[in-house]
Amino acid sequence: MATDRDTVLEAAVGVLSRRPTAHLDEIARAAGISRATLHRLFPGREALIREVGLLGLRRFAAALDTAAVEHGDAEAALRRLVDAAVPDAALCAFLAGENQLYENDDINDLWELQIARLHALFLRGQQQGAFRIELSAAWLSEAFFDLVAGVGWSIQDGRLAPRDAAFSLTELFLGGALRRPAAAAAIHGTPPPPSPATHSPSAPSTSAHSQDTDKP
C-alpha cells in the first residue's frame, strides 16, 4: 500500500513541534514507516521540514477560505476562522517555531500572503467598530496566529483538551481584542458612561439644590 505523504508529514510535525532536533529515525517511527521509506519520500531533513511548512501554510490558507474571512461581519468571520484553524493548530505551532523555514523564498511568499489576509480581516473589523483601534491590525494578526500555535502546543502536551480548544482560543483572544466602550472613550477623550453606583438611590445628594433647601 502506498504511503500517504500528508500522513507522514502530520506525524513529523507531531514530533518536530515538540523536539525540533529530533532524529529522522524518530520521525519515521512516529509515522509507522522505515527510515528508508522516509528518505524515499523526502530526501533529507531540510526537504522534510520544508514540506511540513508548506503543508501548514496550505492548511491555514484552506482555513481562511473555509471561514470566508474577506466577507461579512469581521467578528463572525474570526469565530469561523477559529473553528477552521484549530484542527491544524499543531501545524501552526510548527510554523511559529521553526525559524529555518523562513530562509526559503516560497515559504516566505506563502506566509506573507496568508498573514496579509488575516491583517485585512482585523483592519475591516476595526473599521466596523468590532476590534480595538489602539491595537494595530498587524499586531492583532501576529497575536492571533501565535495563540493558534499555543493551542497546538497545549493540546500536544495535554494541557488543553481538544474539545475545549476553539472555545478557549475564542474567549481569550476576543476578551482582549474586542472594542470596549471605556477603552474607546479614553482614546477619543470622552468620559466613559457613569457606573451604576453613581446613581444609587441610597447615595446622599450633594447637589446645590439640596444644600439650598437646608437654608432657613
Side-chain angles (χ1 to χ4, degrees):
M1 183 175 66
T3 302
D4 180 73
R5 286 171 61 91
D6 282 3
T7 299
V8 174
L9 292 172
E10 288 170 356
V13 78
V15 175
L16 291 170
S17 61
R18 294 194 305 271
R19 293 185 298 281
T21 59
H23 296 296
L24 293 180
D25 287 341
E26 185 177 356
I27 295 169
R29 286 196 300 272
I33 59 175
S34 68
R35 177 163 179 163
T37 300
L38 180 65
H39 186 74
R40 282 197 298 271
L41 291 170
F42 310 104
R45 183 185 186 83
E46 184 176 337
L48 174 64
I49 289 175
R50 178 180 180 276
E51 289 301 320
V52 174
L54 288 171
L55 176 64
L57 286 168
R58 289 197 302 270
R59 293 283 181 85
F60 191 66
L64 290 165
D65 291 340
T66 298
V69 295
E70 286 84 6
H71 305 288
D73 177 79
E75 181 185 343
L78 185 70
R79 292 179 182 274
R80 294 193 301 268
L81 179 58
V82 169
D83 290 336
V86 159
D88 291 310
L91 283 164
C92 292
F94 180 79
L95 288 169
E98 186 54 65
N99 291 332
Q100 78 176 71
L101 281 173
Y102 302 98
E103 298 173 3
N104 182 283
D105 289 340
D106 292 340
I107 294 280
N108 265 324
D109 290 345
L110 281 173
W111 167 254
E112 292 297 332
L113 179 62
Q114 307 319 321
I115 205 69
R117 296 177 69 188
L118 199 55
H119 179 275
L121 169 63
F122 286 113
L123 184 60
R124 190 173 84 254
Q126 289 173 326
Q127 293 167 345
Q128 291 175 349
F131 300 135
R132 295 169 62 176
I133 59 174
E134 74 274 25
L135 304 176
S136 73
W139 163 240
L140 289 171
S141 302
E142 296 283 353
F144 176 79
F145 189 86
D146 285 345
L147 274 178
V148 177
V151 165
W153 284 312
S154 294
I155 290 175
Q156 286 179 335
D157 292 340
R159 298 191 300 270
L160 180 64
R163 66 177 180 275
D164 297 330
F167 174 80
S168 299
L169 173 57
T170 301
E171 291 301 304
L172 179 60
F173 185 79
L174 289 181
L178 286 179
R179 195 170 182 181
R180 298 186 297 271
I187 293 169
H188 294 291
T190 57
S195 65
T198 304
H199 299 290
S200 171
S202 61
S205 173
T206 58
S207 68
H209 175 73
S210 64
Q211 292 171 358
D212 290 342
T213 56
D214 294 333
K215 294 178 181 178

